Amino acid sequence: MAQYARLLTRVALASLGVGGAFAGVEQCLYTVDAGHRAVLFNRWSGIQKDVVGEGTHLLIPFVQTPIIFSVRTEPFVVASQTGSADLQQVTVALRILQRPQVEALPVIYGTFGEDFKSRILPSIVPEVLKAVVARFNAHELITQREAVSRLIREQLTRDAARYHIVLDDIAITELRFGRDFTVAVERKQVAQQEAERQKWVVQRDEYERQASVIRAQGESAAAKLLSDAYKQAGLAHLELRRIETARHIAETLARSRNIAYLPSSGNILLNLGSS
């Protein structure tokens, strides 16, 4: 029984030794994933200047500490309120695609820490927006948005480079003016629409007047042509029309129930108007 207990003790000690060895090895290794880089902080010498790439690397436990940074392009949104050249309050929101300069990661960590973008970008973006937006009035900010965006991109890219940040793209996601200016713009649009409607009404009335004139001219020309035709035809044409009228009246009376007899001799209707 005592021998069995000693055997179990040896097995337990061996297991602890193997487990401790694995734990020690694990503390001596660290992994840098794809799209990331590492900066080593040494408790004795401080931040090391070399940037560690992707993969698994050795580490001195309790002496070195790895700080992992993402070097992928990531979005960052910053909004700021500023004034235009005509003193209108403007709120501009930017969507910035940014990433750190890989070779400058030790400097970035030593100066700004791990959350460097939240400390740098909200500081430089408002100043750039104030400088650019102040060069345009409210109307130009709307009609020349591409030029405004280009100036913001150029100046912000230059300023961010001083802090070792690369800006791959900058886009204006929001351009909002103050309430008073918005109400004024809406009223102006309503007035313009009403002016366009009144202009259309005037044009419609003018077209109708022109149509009436053309119609009257056509009727006058038709009457003149008919009068000229009567003059050329003379009395024969009038006599023919009189005969046609008389025949039409006779046919109408013949179909009426109130007429029982129509004399066949001495056609009175044909002599109407005869001299």
Side-chain angles (χ1 to χ4, degrees):
M1 193 69 180
Q3 293 179 353
Y4 182 71
R6 286 195 297 270
L7 180 61
L8 288 179
T9 302
R10 291 176 182 176
V11 171
L13 291 174
S15 300
L16 289 174
V18 174
F22 277 114
V25 171
E26 200 171 298
Q27 291 179 356
C28 294
L29 298 176
Y30 69 98
T31 301
V32 180
D33 295 330
H36 293 73
R37 296 294 185 273
V39 174
L40 289 179
F41 174 76
N42 192 307
R43 294 181 182 274
W44 295 338
S45 59
I47 301 174
Q48 297 184 3
K49 296 182 179 181
D50 295 332
V51 178
V52 183
E54 302 169 358
T56 301
H57 307 276
L58 293 174
L59 179 70
I60 302 175
F62 309 108
V63 176
Q64 293 178 325
T65 302
I67 297 91
I68 309 297
F69 288 90
S70 173
V71 294
R72 294 170 177 168
T73 299
E74 297 178 349
F76 192 87
V77 178
V78 182
S80 177
Q81 188 176 26
T82 182
S84 62
D86 53 353
L87 303 181
Q88 296 293 336
Q89 291 298 317
V90 186
T91 300
V92 184
L94 300 180
R95 185 176 185 271
I96 304 171
L97 296 180
Q98 53 77 37
R99 56 186 172 85
Q101 293 180 359
V102 175
E103 63 276 8
L105 283 176
V107 177
I108 293 175
Y109 176 68
T111 307
F112 303 103
E114 296 183 56
D115 195 16
F116 61 94
K117 56 188 176 183
S118 298
R119 298 183 179 182
I120 298 174
L121 295 178
S123 299
I124 64 176
V125 168
E127 295 301 323
V128 172
L129 291 179
K130 289 179 182 179
V132 174
V133 173
R135 299 167 59 178
F136 300 87
N137 58 39
H139 178 72
E140 291 172 342
L141 288 174
I142 298 174
T143 58
Q144 302 180 25
R145 183 163 178 166
E146 183 177 353
V148 175
S149 180
R150 184 181 68 255
L151 290 175
I152 292 175
R153 184 184 304 109
E154 292 174 355
Q155 188 166 341
L156 193 57
T157 301
R158 184 169 57 251
D159 291 351
R162 300 204 310 261
Y163 298 96
H164 310 289
I165 297 179
V166 180
L167 304 183
D168 293 328
D169 186 52
I170 301 172
I172 299 177
T173 57
E174 183 181 8
L175 188 63
R176 186 176 69 251
F177 296 90
R179 178 176 177 80
D180 294 340
F181 179 79
T182 303
V183 172
V185 170
E186 292 176 354
R187 290 177 178 175
K188 182 179 179 180
Q189 291 177 345
V190 171
Q192 290 177 345
Q193 292 175 357
E194 181 64 20
E196 291 294 332
R197 192 185 73 83
Q198 294 296 334
K199 181 179 178 181
W200 176 82
V201 170
V202 171
Q203 290 179 347
R204 183 195 62 183
D205 295 342
E206 178 65 19
Y207 291 150
E208 291 180 352
R209 186 188 66 80
Q210 293 178 2
S212 299
V213 171
I214 295 173
R215 192 181 303 110
Q217 291 175 350
E219 293 176 353
S220 176
K224 186 177 183 303
L225 291 175
L226 186 60
S227 177
D228 293 342
Y230 284 158
K231 290 180 181 179
Q232 293 177 2
L235 296 177
H237 178 74
L238 294 177
E239 187 66 22
L240 178 61
R241 294 296 298 271
R242 186 182 296 111
I243 294 173
E244 292 176 350
T245 303
R247 186 177 62 182
H248 177 69
I249 294 173
E251 291 176 352
T252 303
L253 293 175
R255 288 193 298 268
S256 176
R257 295 182 179 179
N258 296 326
I259 300 299
Y261 175 75
L262 181 65
S264 60
S265 61
N267 194 338
I268 300 175
L269 296 176
L270 294 179
N271 294 325
L272 290 177
S274 301
S275 57

